Amino acid sequence: MGDVNVKVPVREQDAKERATNFKEVCLGYNQEEAQEEASRCLNCKNARCILGCPVAINIPGFIQEVKAGNIEKAYQIISESSALPAVCGRVCPQETQCEGQCVRGIKGEAVSIGKLERFVADWASEHGIKPEVTAEKKGKKVAVIGSGPSGLTCAGDLAKMGYNVTIFEALHEPGGVLVYGIPEFRLPKTDVVAKEIENVRSLGVKIETNVVIGKSITIDELIEEEGFDAVFVGSGAGLPKFMGIPGENANGVFSANEYLTRSNLMKSFREDSNTPIMKSKKVAVVGGGNVAMDAARTALRLGAEVHIVYRRSEEELPARVEEVHHAKEEGIIFDLLTNPTEILSDEKGWVTGMKCVRMELGEPDESGRRRPVVVPGSEFVLEADTVIMSLGTSPNPLISSTTKGLEVNKYKCIVASEENGATSKEGVYAGGDAVTGAATVILAMGAGKAAAKGIHEFLSK
């Protein structure tokens, strides 16, 4: 037994090696390591970790089962609250949620809750263990729009309650941001995402792909013509934002969304791909969130020298500490306190570089972060043949503009109750990025969970 104040370390692929492949970076715990880490849990009576979890998993409960070697029991405990444990164990920002609340973290390191969740989910997958369904069928139909984290969670919870659920997905493959947004080296598609989706299907959920709600069929038609008793909108926020600086229309400027979709969903890094991606020599990624890190680390694996260009300092980087650490280890260059002002291109319209200015941090703005101010006379040109804009995304207005009586705010996000997902239109619920704008997988799952409860209450009247 090691020091109880220190986490059992997690094995990882070597930085030099992984920078050249798309295999998963983190290798996870084996059972012996998981049981040792689980024994660090204090099994608190008033567990703060549960309060820190947006889907309220019984964390001490599942960890005690891991400690005792009852991995199947641990999986069923997690499955009561979460439809996607293998995903969450990999991509949740545990450090600000469950682990951020862990009492062990006061004097030492928090219990590695995320890595334990991942171990349990992977073990269950290897042993063919599925979540249990006990409810009787209710004979009522619910449509779920979008098969990302909020849609899958809402659908899974409703199926467990006995509803007939059909998910409508616009793309040709289900999974939403889990398949098009998060790279393979953080979240393997076949071994993890596809199996989690299969688990949701095993609950009786139907998934129809290539259905664009608002074009193929509207929400009003789903209710009035197809006989759905309620609808959940979990269509995400897939519309990229740009800076509005000169030169943004040049060839070789991508949104992070397009770049990652080409690589993750369309497999454009393969030689035989129908949607090849540019073979770049030098890539500038503008932004500092997790999506920026994902785009930068993807471009690096495709053979480029990669710069992250971010207008604030490292302290303000919104990306997870682990992602920044991995990016640095792999050789990504961070140009912090730097802001682009123009994208330069040659006579054929291809990117040649980016005009930038140096910044310094002034007084805090309304978000509480110190506002970056331009350093006079600090202009310089960063050479690049590809620029990836990673400045956030907003919801596509297609659904809201084709649905009667659905209220949206000034950002085109659907207005919905935080408590139960109810919108201004009776029987229509919404959650995740379609409501909040771009946020995390687990917050979208929390919203899907709340909406499932809201729909159940609505249909039980």
Side-chain angles (χ1 to χ4, degrees):
M1 182 75 193
D3 181 349
V4 291
N5 286 322
V6 179
K7 288 179 178 181
V8 172
V10 181
R11 288 160 290 122
E12 288 179 349
Q13 225 197 122
D14 176 71
K16 278 205 175 80
E17 196 177 313
R18 70 178 189 244
T20 63
N21 67 51
F22 279 83
K23 291 179 194 149
E24 194 168 10
V25 169
C26 177
L27 304 175
Y29 285 146
N30 60 29
Q31 185 160 339
E32 189 186 338
E33 292 163 339
Q35 286 185 258
E36 186 180 339
E37 182 61 23
S39 69
R40 295 181 59 233
C41 174
L42 297 167
N43 199 12
C44 306
K45 286 282 175 284
N46 299 317
R48 286 166 37 182
C49 54
I50 299 177
L51 299 175
C53 173
V55 294
I57 291 169
N58 176 0
I59 293 166
F62 99 76
I63 291 180
Q64 293 315 301
E65 297 301 341
V66 173
K67 182 180 166 182
N70 303 327
I71 315 303
E72 185 172 346
K73 182 80 197 309
Y75 176 71
Q76 296 303 353
I77 290 172
I78 296 172
S79 293
E80 285 166 16
S81 306
S82 173
L84 307 168
V87 169
C88 292
R90 287 167 165 83
V91 302
C92 261
Q94 287 99 2
E95 64 279 6
T96 59
Q97 292 176 347
C98 53
E99 292 179 22
Q101 299 287 330
C102 176
V103 172
R104 269 268 180 243
I106 297 168
K107 288 189 175 167
E109 292 181 334
V111 174
S112 234
I113 298 166
K115 300 290 187 282
L116 289 174
E117 181 182 23
R118 169 190 163 149
F119 163 74
V120 170
D122 288 358
W123 185 95
S125 173
E126 280 162 33
H127 291 80
I129 310 295
K130 301 276 186 200
E132 293 167 349
V133 192
T134 50
E136 282 179 29
K137 284 283 178 202
K138 292 190 169 53
K140 289 192 175 177
K141 284 168 60 176
V142 181
V144 170
I145 299 168
S147 62
S150 66
L152 290 169
T153 300
C154 186
D157 277 16
L158 287 167
K160 284 180 193 167
M161 293 175 201
Y163 293 98
N164 295 322
V165 185
T166 304
I167 296 177
F168 296 98
E169 168 55 51
L171 295 176
H172 61 283
E173 218 176 287
V177 73
L178 306 174
V179 292
Y180 73 71
I182 302 171
E184 189 78 20
F185 53 82
R186 278 220 293 141
L187 188 62
K189 307 297 163 236
T190 310
D191 291 345
V192 176
V193 179
K195 286 181 178 174
E196 297 266 70
I197 291 168
E198 215 33 66
N199 284 346
V200 173
R201 274 199 173 109
S202 77
L203 299 169
V205 174
K206 291 193 202 94
I207 302 178
E208 290 193 23
T209 54
N210 299 312
V211 181
V212 182
I213 300 295
K215 276 223 164 102
S216 316
I217 190 168
T218 65
I219 287 180
D220 295 321
E221 286 165 349
L222 284 174
I223 296 167
E224 291 156 21
E225 294 169 26
E226 298 296 323
F228 282 96
D229 300 290
V231 176
F232 172 73
V233 183
S235 50
L239 204 61
K241 293 177 183 170
F242 287 88
M243 288 184 79
I245 56 175
E248 256 181 338
N249 291 333
N251 299 325
V253 179
F254 293 86
S255 68
N257 216 3
E258 181 192 348
Y259 195 81
L260 288 167
T261 301
R262 277 173 178 255
S263 176
N264 299 332
L265 184 66
M266 313 305 287
K267 310 295 179 203
S268 55
F269 52 84
R270 289 189 193 151
E271 293 299 323
D272 60 351
S273 171
N274 291 329
T275 54
I277 210 161
M278 284 179 64
K279 286 272 180 267
S280 311
K281 290 193 177 73
K282 195 167 178 181
V283 175
V285 179
V286 182
N290 288 328
V291 177
M293 299 304 142
D294 285 347
R297 295 172 68 200
T298 297
L300 179 90
R301 282 160 172 75
L302 294 171
E305 176 189 304
V306 184
H307 292 247
I308 292 249
V309 179
Y310 180 63
R311 66 198 187 118
R312 290 182 159 99
S313 72
E314 185 162 346
E315 267 176 40
E316 285 85 18
L317 275 171
R320 289 181 70 189
V321 172
E322 184 179 46
E323 299 308 311
V324 176
H325 168 69
H326 281 154
K328 282 184 175 172
E329 272 189 335
E330 289 164 10
I332 284 164
I333 300 151
F334 281 72
D335 291 316
L336 301 171
L337 290 166
T338 302
N339 206 33
T341 55
E342 185 181 348
I343 293 166
L344 306 172
S345 53
D346 61 19
E347 63 285 350
K348 289 183 180 167
W350 288 92
V351 170
T352 57
M354 198 162 65
K355 271 191 192 171
C356 300
V357 286
R358 299 282 181 207
M359 311 294 282
E360 58 190 9
L361 294 178
E363 294 304 308
D365 61 16
E366 61 279 4
S367 73
R369 296 186 300 176
R370 290 170 67 196
R371 188 190 293 279
V373 227
V374 176
V375 175
S378 64
E379 294 82 3
F380 71 100
V381 172
L382 177 68
E383 280 181 26
D385 58 6
T386 305
V387 173
I388 301 172
M389 292 290 178
S390 182
L391 307 163
T393 51
S394 60
N396 188 321
L398 181 63
I399 287 177
S400 54
S401 65
T402 57
T403 310
K404 289 184 213 120
L406 193 61
E407 191 190 334
V408 293
N409 65 18
K410 62 178 180 180
Y411 303 109
K412 298 282 185 283
C413 293
I414 297 168
V415 176
S417 155
E418 208 173 300
E419 195 184 327
N420 66 4
T423 69
S424 56
K425 188 177 176 75
E426 194 185 44
V428 177
Y429 292 71
D433 292 5
V435 171
T436 57
T440 61
V441 165
I442 189 69
L443 287 173
M445 289 175 66
K449 202 167 191 55
K453 203 162 157 265
I455 290 168
H456 174 56
E457 283 163 10
F458 168 69
L459 294 178
S460 303
K461 282 176 189 168

